[in-house]
Amino acid sequence: MAEPAVVIDRVSKSYRLYHERQHSLKSTILTRRRSRFEEFWALRDVSFEVARGKTFGLIGENGSGKSTLLKCIAGILQPNEGSIVTNGRVAALLELGSGFHQELTGRENVYLNGSILGLSKREIDEKFEQIAEFAGVDQYIDQPVKNYSSGMYVRLGFAVAIHLDPDILLVDEVLAVGDASFQRKCMDKFRELKLAGKTVVLVSHSTGPMRTFCDEVARLEHGRLVAVGKPEQIIDDYVDEGQEDVQHLPGGAVRSGSGEARITDLALLDASGKRTTHVHTGEEVTIEVTFEARERIEKPVFGLSFESVDGIYVWEQHTRDGGLEIDAIEGTGRIRYTIPNLLLQPEEFYIHASILDYTTAHSYDVLRNSFRFRVGRGTPVQSNGIVSIPGSWERLADRASASPVP
Amino acid sequence: MSAIAGRLTRTAGPIAELGRSRELLLNLTLREIRGKYKRTFFGHGWSLVNPLSLILIYTIVFGQFLVVNIAPGDPSGVDSFALFLTSALLPWMFFANALQAGMGAITSNANLVQRVHFPRQVLVAAGVLSWTVSFAIELAVLAVILTIAGASVWPWVPVIVLAMALLTLFAYGFALILSVANVYFRDTQHFIPILLQLWFFLTPIVYPISYVRDAANRLAAEGWDLPIDFIYRLNPMQRFTDVFRDLMYDNHWPSLADSLYCVGATAVLLIVGYAVFKRFEPRLAEEL
């Protein structure tokens, strides 16, 4: 195994929290010392390695220290204790376009920004066309950047940084910027870097892209490293953490909630009322939820949702929106939701079920991934996708061939 | 011997480091220069208007009203208070502007310092160098005027360039300290202009140093035998302005003592400034 791209060895970083920030000489002289401060440990004894060529995610709540750690890796901040070794050229996408000079043109700023990030003039000359094209600002490249839209500004900053040809790319929440097509471009670029054997360290608190994109994930909490490993497990734990009493049931189901009521059974019934796990597009199906309330619960709301096994959230509906007002539940009971025409295409889906309070903010019981069913080919037949949207084609009369095409 | 060699390499260190990031230095300096007069009608014309107006004011006040008597340039033979003044005023103005630009270089580029890792002293150097460019233009204009007035400045150009380089490094060394000080205490940027004002009049720019000697002699005659002349000549800017005046106005070699003093002061300030800067550099991003 080659040497790792980043080695983080027992790194601690503290900030000084000043009781009254003193930037003045007078107060320093009057108090006869620099202002009093408290040490705040943003990072405490963090150690891990990032293997070369891997995409590595850092997750954690706001204030968990992930951005501080990224800045330490980038060399912007220096840890108080421990050491960070990076092998290769590091580029950090922290705030894009920082260092752009408002009055200078896009072209001048590309050269300026490039040299701040460590590119030589020759390297920028070679990559200039690519940078301008990637940013999609070619016709504005000789305009001062103060005239740029915020999107153009950020795209140009990203384009310069990504064309640094770094061995290690550090990315902080920048996936959230730009329009959809630019985001796609970014993802393609990341993929390209990954294929080229480059190392990427991503920081985010949106776990969506992390799950699919990272090879490994580290989770920080209050400056300490909680876990490092495969993304699935760590991200699931992280997502679940917000809710109390998460239970992992056999078969991969996950249960959470305060527990005053429980879903004791979840079933899918076909048109004849028989239990099934295999249905077809266009069939009538019924979902039946059996519950048990240990105490009287006023005005509960039952929710149901479908998620494809690939993780696409397809549908959700609850009784409040569906017009079924339930005064109260106590003891065992059943709820049914009947779908006269199942508009899902052939694919496998999970049913998630929940019992919530009337505001839907509090959950008594949430049961995820407990019931899996397969949809087979039925009618209408559709070409692709996971939902079925019925409709009809029609060919309109041709225009006279003499009239010009508009 | 090795001690001297050691000192030499330590002086060279800060310069060598700038050499390694010379492209960045060049680009940042260009940014400063281009940005300075953007969106102004006169553009870079302002960089000449400002010294011209000062020269005009001082020439009227000290040449006509308060009448400062100066000896004609030796051997140049030029006899003009305005040119006598300008030969020292331009180096001073460069020093004052460069020092203040370097001092604010870290605080005014906070967003860069907090987001990108690069050698921070380059920012200070770029602030100083952007004024070196204006300084060079001003001196060129002055050289033309001096030539018309009868001085022969052109043979001295290589020495003048050397003196400019030395003064630039002197300002850079000083600015390194002030740029860090300004991060911790923003008072610095308000205090320094006042200090510069005082320093300006303590340096023989609008008057010849012979006036100071005369004053010292008068005081000595009254029984106050103070080493005023000696104290006055501790000021490195007195030496620097003297060197420029020797070269441009008088067209003779500066004294060896002055030259060595300038070199020595530059070396000390550069070493100390660099050491202070390096000591605080790692914390700059979070203290801003």
Side-chain angles (χ1 to χ4, degrees), chain B residues 8-38:
Chain B
L8 272 179
T9 50
R10 259 196 298 165
T11 319
I15 305 168
E17 203 173 285
L18 286 180
R20 275 195 293 282
S21 32
R22 60 181 173 279
E23 280 193 19
L24 174 57
L25 180 58
L26 180 73
N27 278 321
L28 283 173
T29 308
L30 282 178
R31 177 181 77 157
E32 293 294 319
I33 295 170
R34 284 178 183 148
K36 215 180 274 176
Y37 299 107
K38 275 265 161 128

PDB file of all heavy atoms in Angstrom, chain B residues 8-38:
ATOM      1  N   LEU B   8      24.763  36.802   7.067  1.00  0.00           N
ATOM      2  CA  LEU B   8      24.452  37.065   5.661  1.00  0.00           C
ATOM      3  C   LEU B   8      23.332  36.163   5.167  1.00  0.00           C
ATOM      4  O   LEU B   8      22.398  36.618   4.511  1.00  0.00           O
ATOM      5  CB  LEU B   8      25.703  36.859   4.797  1.00  0.00           C
ATOM      6  CG  LEU B   8      26.602  38.093   4.650  1.00  0.00           C
ATOM      7  CD1 LEU B   8      27.811  37.761   3.802  1.00  0.00           C
ATOM      8  CD2 LEU B   8      25.813  39.245   4.040  1.00  0.00           C
ATOM      9  N   THR B   9      23.432  34.873   5.499  1.00  0.00           N
ATOM     10  CA  THR B   9      22.383  33.964   5.017  1.00  0.00           C
ATOM     11  C   THR B   9      21.055  34.293   5.681  1.00  0.00           C
ATOM     12  O   THR B   9      20.004  34.151   5.081  1.00  0.00           O
ATOM     13  CB  THR B   9      22.729  32.488   5.284  1.00  0.00           C
ATOM     14  OG1 THR B   9      23.101  32.359   6.648  1.00  0.00           O
ATOM     15  CG2 THR B   9      23.852  32.007   4.396  1.00  0.00           C
ATOM     16  N   ARG B  10      21.138  34.753   6.936  1.00  0.00           N
ATOM     17  CA  ARG B  10      19.880  35.087   7.592  1.00  0.00           C
ATOM     18  C   ARG B  10      19.238  36.312   6.960  1.00  0.00           C
ATOM     19  O   ARG B  10      18.029  36.440   6.906  1.00  0.00           O
ATOM     20  CB  ARG B  10      20.103  35.315   9.101  1.00  0.00           C
ATOM     21  CG  ARG B  10      19.676  34.100   9.907  1.00  0.00           C
ATOM     22  CD  ARG B  10      19.529  34.453  11.355  1.00  0.00           C
ATOM     23  NE  ARG B  10      20.813  34.904  11.902  1.00  0.00           N
ATOM     24  CZ  ARG B  10      20.926  35.544  13.070  1.00  0.00           C
ATOM     25  NH1 ARG B  10      19.866  35.798  13.783  1.00  0.00           N
ATOM     26  NH2 ARG B  10      22.102  35.919  13.517  1.00  0.00           N
ATOM     27  N   THR B  11      20.077  37.234   6.494  1.00  0.00           N
ATOM     28  CA  THR B  11      19.537  38.397   5.798  1.00  0.00           C
ATOM     29  C   THR B  11      18.989  37.981   4.442  1.00  0.00           C
ATOM     30  O   THR B  11      17.966  38.478   3.988  1.00  0.00           O
ATOM     31  CB  THR B  11      20.629  39.463   5.583  1.00  0.00           C
ATOM     32  OG1 THR B  11      21.396  39.533   6.773  1.00  0.00           O
ATOM     33  CG2 THR B  11      20.021  40.798   5.279  1.00  0.00           C
ATOM     34  N   ALA B  12      19.695  37.050   3.811  1.00  0.00           N
ATOM     35  CA  ALA B  12      19.278  36.635   2.480  1.00  0.00           C
ATOM     36  C   ALA B  12      18.005  35.802   2.540  1.00  0.00           C
ATOM     37  O   ALA B  12      17.218  35.804   1.600  1.00  0.00           O
ATOM     38  CB  ALA B  12      20.400  35.852   1.807  1.00  0.00           C
ATOM     39  N   GLY B  13      17.777  35.100   3.667  1.00  0.00           N
ATOM     40  CA  GLY B  13      16.624  34.206   3.790  1.00  0.00           C
ATOM     41  C   GLY B  13      15.309  34.830   3.389  1.00  0.00           C
ATOM     42  O   GLY B  13      14.620  34.324   2.502  1.00  0.00           O
ATOM     43  N   PRO B  14      14.970  35.965   4.004  1.00  0.00           N
ATOM     44  CA  PRO B  14      13.684  36.592   3.674  1.00  0.00           C
ATOM     45  C   PRO B  14      13.578  36.981   2.203  1.00  0.00           C
ATOM     46  O   PRO B  14      12.487  36.927   1.628  1.00  0.00           O
ATOM     47  CB  PRO B  14      13.674  37.854   4.541  1.00  0.00           C
ATOM     48  CG  PRO B  14      14.741  37.696   5.538  1.00  0.00           C
ATOM     49  CD  PRO B  14      15.689  36.660   5.067  1.00  0.00           C
ATOM     50  N   ILE B  15      14.714  37.360   1.611  1.00  0.00           N
ATOM     51  CA  ILE B  15      14.672  37.766   0.206  1.00  0.00           C
ATOM     52  C   ILE B  15      14.522  36.539  -0.682  1.00  0.00           C
ATOM     53  O   ILE B  15      13.747  36.531  -1.637  1.00  0.00           O
ATOM     54  CB  ILE B  15      15.942  38.562  -0.159  1.00  0.00           C
ATOM     55  CG1 ILE B  15      16.095  39.737   0.808  1.00  0.00           C
ATOM     56  CG2 ILE B  15      15.890  39.047  -1.591  1.00  0.00           C
ATOM     57  CD1 ILE B  15      17.432  40.423   0.750  1.00  0.00           C
ATOM     58  N   ALA B  16      15.272  35.478  -0.310  1.00  0.00           N
ATOM     59  CA  ALA B  16      15.194  34.249  -1.095  1.00  0.00           C
ATOM     60  C   ALA B  16      13.772  33.708  -1.090  1.00  0.00           C
ATOM     61  O   ALA B  16      13.267  33.223  -2.109  1.00  0.00           O
ATOM     62  CB  ALA B  16      16.163  33.215  -0.531  1.00  0.00           C
ATOM     63  N   GLU B  17      13.093  33.836   0.068  1.00  0.00           N
ATOM     64  CA  GLU B  17      11.741  33.293   0.144  1.00  0.00           C
ATOM     65  C   GLU B  17      10.800  34.059  -0.781  1.00  0.00           C
ATOM     66  O   GLU B  17       9.909  33.477  -1.394  1.00  0.00           O
ATOM     67  CB  GLU B  17      11.250  33.340   1.586  1.00  0.00           C
ATOM     68  CG  GLU B  17      10.157  32.316   1.818  1.00  0.00           C
ATOM     69  CD  GLU B  17       9.773  32.228   3.268  1.00  0.00           C
ATOM     70  OE1 GLU B  17      10.552  31.651   4.038  1.00  0.00           O
ATOM     71  OE2 GLU B  17       8.704  32.722   3.618  1.00  0.00           O
ATOM     72  N   LEU B  18      11.029  35.372  -0.878  1.00  0.00           N
ATOM     73  CA  LEU B  18      10.219  36.153  -1.807  1.00  0.00           C
ATOM     74  C   LEU B  18      10.519  35.737  -3.241  1.00  0.00           C
ATOM     75  O   LEU B  18       9.636  35.718  -4.092  1.00  0.00           O
ATOM     76  CB  LEU B  18      10.508  37.648  -1.638  1.00  0.00           C
ATOM     77  CG  LEU B  18       9.923  38.304  -0.393  1.00  0.00           C
ATOM     78  CD1 LEU B  18      10.298  39.763  -0.360  1.00  0.00           C
ATOM     79  CD2 LEU B  18       8.417  38.143  -0.361  1.00  0.00           C
ATOM     80  N   GLY B  19      11.788  35.386  -3.474  1.00  0.00           N
ATOM     81  CA  GLY B  19      12.174  34.961  -4.818  1.00  0.00           C
ATOM     82  C   GLY B  19      11.429  33.707  -5.235  1.00  0.00           C
ATOM     83  O   GLY B  19      10.992  33.573  -6.379  1.00  0.00           O
ATOM     84  N   ARG B  20      11.239  32.798  -4.294  1.00  0.00           N
ATOM     85  CA  ARG B  20      10.547  31.556  -4.613  1.00  0.00           C
ATOM     86  C   ARG B  20       9.098  31.801  -5.010  1.00  0.00           C
ATOM     87  O   ARG B  20       8.542  31.078  -5.821  1.00  0.00           O
ATOM     88  CB  ARG B  20      10.613  30.609  -3.410  1.00  0.00           C
ATOM     89  CG  ARG B  20      11.885  29.784  -3.375  1.00  0.00           C
ATOM     90  CD  ARG B  20      11.747  28.611  -2.405  1.00  0.00           C
ATOM     91  NE  ARG B  20      11.638  29.039  -1.024  1.00  0.00           N
ATOM     92  CZ  ARG B  20      12.675  29.440  -0.286  1.00  0.00           C
ATOM     93  NH1 ARG B  20      13.881  29.475  -0.803  1.00  0.00           N
ATOM     94  NH2 ARG B  20      12.518  29.801   0.967  1.00  0.00           N
ATOM     95  N   SER B  21       8.475  32.795  -4.406  1.00  0.00           N
ATOM     96  CA  SER B  21       7.080  33.056  -4.799  1.00  0.00           C
ATOM     97  C   SER B  21       7.014  34.337  -5.617  1.00  0.00           C
ATOM     98  O   SER B  21       6.150  35.168  -5.419  1.00  0.00           O
ATOM     99  CB  SER B  21       6.185  33.128  -3.569  1.00  0.00           C
ATOM    100  OG  SER B  21       6.871  33.652  -2.464  1.00  0.00           O
ATOM    101  N   ARG B  22       7.948  34.464  -6.551  1.00  0.00           N
ATOM    102  CA  ARG B  22       8.024  35.742  -7.271  1.00  0.00           C
ATOM    103  C   ARG B  22       6.842  35.952  -8.204  1.00  0.00           C
ATOM    104  O   ARG B  22       6.411  37.086  -8.407  1.00  0.00           O
ATOM    105  CB  ARG B  22       9.337  35.862  -8.030  1.00  0.00           C
ATOM    106  CG  ARG B  22       9.589  34.794  -9.073  1.00  0.00           C
ATOM    107  CD  ARG B  22      10.938  35.016  -9.750  1.00  0.00           C
ATOM    108  NE  ARG B  22      11.247  33.908 -10.624  1.00  0.00           N
ATOM    109  CZ  ARG B  22      11.748  32.752 -10.212  1.00  0.00           C
ATOM    110  NH1 ARG B  22      12.022  32.584  -8.925  1.00  0.00           N
ATOM    111  NH2 ARG B  22      11.972  31.766 -11.044  1.00  0.00           N
ATOM    112  N   GLU B  23       6.283  34.865  -8.742  1.00  0.00           N
ATOM    113  CA  GLU B  23       5.122  35.067  -9.620  1.00  0.00           C
ATOM    114  C   GLU B  23       3.929  35.585  -8.852  1.00  0.00           C
ATOM    115  O   GLU B  23       3.209  36.463  -9.307  1.00  0.00           O
ATOM    116  CB  GLU B  23       4.765  33.764 -10.334  1.00  0.00           C
ATOM    117  CG  GLU B  23       5.663  33.546 -11.514  1.00  0.00           C
ATOM    118  CD  GLU B  23       5.147  32.456 -12.432  1.00  0.00           C
ATOM    119  OE1 GLU B  23       3.944  32.130 -12.356  1.00  0.00           O
ATOM    120  OE2 GLU B  23       5.956  31.938 -13.210  1.00  0.00           O
ATOM    121  N   LEU B  24       3.755  35.010  -7.668  1.00  0.00           N
ATOM    122  CA  LEU B  24       2.675  35.477  -6.803  1.00  0.00           C
ATOM    123  C   LEU B  24       2.915  36.928  -6.421  1.00  0.00           C
ATOM    124  O   LEU B  24       2.008  37.757  -6.472  1.00  0.00           O
ATOM    125  CB  LEU B  24       2.618  34.591  -5.554  1.00  0.00           C
ATOM    126  CG  LEU B  24       1.641  35.014  -4.473  1.00  0.00           C
ATOM    127  CD1 LEU B  24       0.242  35.099  -5.014  1.00  0.00           C
ATOM    128  CD2 LEU B  24       1.691  34.029  -3.318  1.00  0.00           C
ATOM    129  N   LEU B  25       4.173  37.224  -6.078  1.00  0.00           N
ATOM    130  CA  LEU B  25       4.531  38.591  -5.703  1.00  0.00           C
ATOM    131  C   LEU B  25       4.228  39.549  -6.849  1.00  0.00           C
ATOM    132  O   LEU B  25       3.634  40.608  -6.661  1.00  0.00           O
ATOM    133  CB  LEU B  25       6.014  38.636  -5.329  1.00  0.00           C
ATOM    134  CG  LEU B  25       6.584  39.990  -4.906  1.00  0.00           C
ATOM    135  CD1 LEU B  25       5.821  40.529  -3.714  1.00  0.00           C
ATOM    136  CD2 LEU B  25       8.061  39.867  -4.571  1.00  0.00           C
ATOM    137  N   LEU B  26       4.597  39.126  -8.034  1.00  0.00           N
ATOM    138  CA  LEU B  26       4.359  39.965  -9.212  1.00  0.00           C
ATOM    139  C   LEU B  26       2.864  40.209  -9.409  1.00  0.00           C
ATOM    140  O   LEU B  26       2.410  41.338  -9.603  1.00  0.00           O
ATOM    141  CB  LEU B  26       4.961  39.292 -10.446  1.00  0.00           C
ATOM    142  CG  LEU B  26       4.787  40.050 -11.751  1.00  0.00           C
ATOM    143  CD1 LEU B  26       5.709  41.254 -11.770  1.00  0.00           C
ATOM    144  CD2 LEU B  26       5.079  39.155 -12.943  1.00  0.00           C
ATOM    145  N   ASN B  27       2.091  39.128  -9.328  1.00  0.00           N
ATOM    146  CA  ASN B  27       0.651  39.260  -9.560  1.00  0.00           C
ATOM    147  C   ASN B  27      -0.037  40.103  -8.495  1.00  0.00           C
ATOM    148  O   ASN B  27      -0.923  40.900  -8.793  1.00  0.00           O
ATOM    149  CB  ASN B  27      -0.008  37.880  -9.625  1.00  0.00           C
ATOM    150  CG  ASN B  27       0.155  37.254 -10.992  1.00  0.00           C
ATOM    151  OD1 ASN B  27       0.056  37.947 -11.994  1.00  0.00           O
ATOM    152  ND2 ASN B  27       0.421  35.967 -11.043  1.00  0.00           N
ATOM    153  N   LEU B  28       0.381  39.899  -7.246  1.00  0.00           N
ATOM    154  CA  LEU B  28      -0.233  40.687  -6.173  1.00  0.00           C
ATOM    155  C   LEU B  28       0.161  42.155  -6.289  1.00  0.00           C
ATOM    156  O   LEU B  28      -0.647  43.047  -6.035  1.00  0.00           O
ATOM    157  CB  LEU B  28       0.182  40.138  -4.804  1.00  0.00           C
ATOM    158  CG  LEU B  28      -0.520  38.864  -4.364  1.00  0.00           C
ATOM    159  CD1 LEU B  28       0.092  38.327  -3.083  1.00  0.00           C
ATOM    160  CD2 LEU B  28      -2.006  39.095  -4.157  1.00  0.00           C
ATOM    161  N   THR B  29       1.412  42.398  -6.695  1.00  0.00           N
ATOM    162  CA  THR B  29       1.845  43.787  -6.876  1.00  0.00           C
ATOM    163  C   THR B  29       1.062  44.434  -8.009  1.00  0.00           C
ATOM    164  O   THR B  29       0.584  45.562  -7.888  1.00  0.00           O
ATOM    165  CB  THR B  29       3.354  43.833  -7.180  1.00  0.00           C
ATOM    166  OG1 THR B  29       4.035  43.093  -6.167  1.00  0.00           O
ATOM    167  CG2 THR B  29       3.863  45.252  -7.198  1.00  0.00           C
ATOM    168  N   LEU B  30       0.895  43.678  -9.096  1.00  0.00           N
ATOM    169  CA  LEU B  30       0.100  44.203 -10.215  1.00  0.00           C
ATOM    170  C   LEU B  30      -1.321  44.503  -9.774  1.00  0.00           C
ATOM    171  O   LEU B  30      -1.918  45.496 -10.177  1.00  0.00           O
ATOM    172  CB  LEU B  30       0.092  43.204 -11.376  1.00  0.00           C
ATOM    173  CG  LEU B  30       1.355  43.175 -12.225  1.00  0.00           C
ATOM    174  CD1 LEU B  30       1.235  42.104 -13.297  1.00  0.00           C
ATOM    175  CD2 LEU B  30       1.602  44.538 -12.862  1.00  0.00           C
ATOM    176  N   ARG B  31      -1.852  43.621  -8.920  1.00  0.00           N
ATOM    177  CA  ARG B  31      -3.208  43.843  -8.430  1.00  0.00           C
ATOM    178  C   ARG B  31      -3.279  45.165  -7.670  1.00  0.00           C
ATOM    179  O   ARG B  31      -4.194  45.961  -7.868  1.00  0.00           O
ATOM    180  CB  ARG B  31      -3.631  42.706  -7.499  1.00  0.00           C
ATOM    181  CG  ARG B  31      -5.003  42.922  -6.908  1.00  0.00           C
ATOM    182  CD  ARG B  31      -5.424  41.826  -5.964  1.00  0.00           C
ATOM    183  NE  ARG B  31      -4.763  41.955  -4.672  1.00  0.00           N
ATOM    184  CZ  ARG B  31      -5.240  41.443  -3.536  1.00  0.00           C
ATOM    185  NH1 ARG B  31      -6.346  40.742  -3.547  1.00  0.00           N
ATOM    186  NH2 ARG B  31      -4.595  41.595  -2.413  1.00  0.00           N
ATOM    187  N   GLU B  32      -2.282  45.377  -6.799  1.00  0.00           N
ATOM    188  CA  GLU B  32      -2.251  46.623  -6.028  1.00  0.00           C
ATOM    189  C   GLU B  32      -2.188  47.831  -6.953  1.00  0.00           C
ATOM    190  O   GLU B  32      -2.920  48.805  -6.783  1.00  0.00           O
ATOM    191  CB  GLU B  32      -1.018  46.646  -5.107  1.00  0.00           C
ATOM    192  CG  GLU B  32      -1.054  45.619  -3.994  1.00  0.00           C
ATOM    193  CD  GLU B  32      -2.151  45.897  -2.987  1.00  0.00           C
ATOM    194  OE1 GLU B  32      -2.341  47.081  -2.654  1.00  0.00           O
ATOM    195  OE2 GLU B  32      -2.825  44.948  -2.563  1.00  0.00           O
ATOM    196  N   ILE B  33      -1.291  47.743  -7.941  1.00  0.00           N
ATOM    197  CA  ILE B  33      -1.093  48.896  -8.820  1.00  0.00           C
ATOM    198  C   ILE B  33      -2.336  49.147  -9.665  1.00  0.00           C
ATOM    199  O   ILE B  33      -2.825  50.267  -9.779  1.00  0.00           O
ATOM    200  CB  ILE B  33       0.134  48.676  -9.722  1.00  0.00           C
ATOM    201  CG1 ILE B  33       1.397  48.617  -8.862  1.00  0.00           C
ATOM    202  CG2 ILE B  33       0.249  49.787 -10.750  1.00  0.00           C
ATOM    203  CD1 ILE B  33       2.625  48.162  -9.603  1.00  0.00           C
ATOM    204  N   ARG B  34      -2.878  48.056 -10.228  1.00  0.00           N
ATOM    205  CA  ARG B  34      -4.056  48.221 -11.083  1.00  0.00           C
ATOM    206  C   ARG B  34      -5.252  48.688 -10.286  1.00  0.00           C
ATOM    207  O   ARG B  34      -6.075  49.462 -10.762  1.00  0.00           O
ATOM    208  CB  ARG B  34      -4.395  46.893 -11.761  1.00  0.00           C
ATOM    209  CG  ARG B  34      -3.474  46.564 -12.898  1.00  0.00           C
ATOM    210  CD  ARG B  34      -3.870  45.215 -13.470  1.00  0.00           C
ATOM    211  NE  ARG B  34      -2.975  44.806 -14.514  1.00  0.00           N
ATOM    212  CZ  ARG B  34      -2.659  43.535 -14.777  1.00  0.00           C
ATOM    213  NH1 ARG B  34      -3.171  42.570 -14.029  1.00  0.00           N
ATOM    214  NH2 ARG B  34      -1.855  43.231 -15.746  1.00  0.00           N
ATOM    215  N   GLY B  35      -5.356  48.170  -9.068  1.00  0.00           N
ATOM    216  CA  GLY B  35      -6.530  48.485  -8.265  1.00  0.00           C
ATOM    217  C   GLY B  35      -6.493  49.891  -7.697  1.00  0.00           C
ATOM    218  O   GLY B  35      -7.520  50.476  -7.401  1.00  0.00           O
ATOM    219  N   LYS B  36      -5.270  50.429  -7.552  1.00  0.00           N
ATOM    220  CA  LYS B  36      -5.109  51.687  -6.827  1.00  0.00           C
ATOM    221  C   LYS B  36      -5.889  52.832  -7.478  1.00  0.00           C
ATOM    222  O   LYS B  36      -6.547  53.599  -6.804  1.00  0.00           O
ATOM    223  CB  LYS B  36      -3.621  52.030  -6.782  1.00  0.00           C
ATOM    224  CG  LYS B  36      -3.191  52.720  -5.508  1.00  0.00           C
ATOM    225  CD  LYS B  36      -1.696  53.024  -5.529  1.00  0.00           C
ATOM    226  CE  LYS B  36      -0.853  51.863  -5.045  1.00  0.00           C
ATOM    227  NZ  LYS B  36       0.577  52.141  -5.151  1.00  0.00           N
ATOM    228  N   TYR B  37      -5.801  52.917  -8.788  1.00  0.00           N
ATOM    229  CA  TYR B  37      -6.408  54.088  -9.440  1.00  0.00           C
ATOM    230  C   TYR B  37      -7.543  53.696 -10.372  1.00  0.00           C
ATOM    231  O   TYR B  37      -7.914  54.457 -11.248  1.00  0.00           O
ATOM    232  CB  TYR B  37      -5.341  54.880 -10.194  1.00  0.00           C
ATOM    233  CG  TYR B  37      -4.261  55.395  -9.285  1.00  0.00           C
ATOM    234  CD1 TYR B  37      -2.998  54.831  -9.303  1.00  0.00           C
ATOM    235  CD2 TYR B  37      -4.530  56.422  -8.385  1.00  0.00           C
ATOM    236  CE1 TYR B  37      -2.012  55.291  -8.440  1.00  0.00           C
ATOM    237  CE2 TYR B  37      -3.551  56.882  -7.530  1.00  0.00           C
ATOM    238  CZ  TYR B  37      -2.293  56.323  -7.564  1.00  0.00           C
ATOM    239  OH  TYR B  37      -1.329  56.766  -6.718  1.00  0.00           O
ATOM    240  N   LYS B  38      -8.091  52.475 -10.184  1.00  0.00           N
ATOM    241  CA  LYS B  38      -9.223  52.076 -11.017  1.00  0.00           C
ATOM    242  C   LYS B  38     -10.378  53.027 -10.775  1.00  0.00           C
ATOM    243  O   LYS B  38     -10.582  53.500  -9.676  1.00  0.00           O
ATOM    244  CB  LYS B  38      -9.661  50.646 -10.670  1.00  0.00           C
ATOM    245  CG  LYS B  38      -8.850  49.597 -11.404  1.00  0.00           C
ATOM    246  CD  LYS B  38      -9.518  49.136 -12.700  1.00  0.00           C
ATOM    247  CE  LYS B  38      -8.505  48.473 -13.588  1.00  0.00           C
ATOM    248  NZ  LYS B  38      -8.816  47.193 -14.087  1.00  0.00           N
TER     249      LYS B  38
END
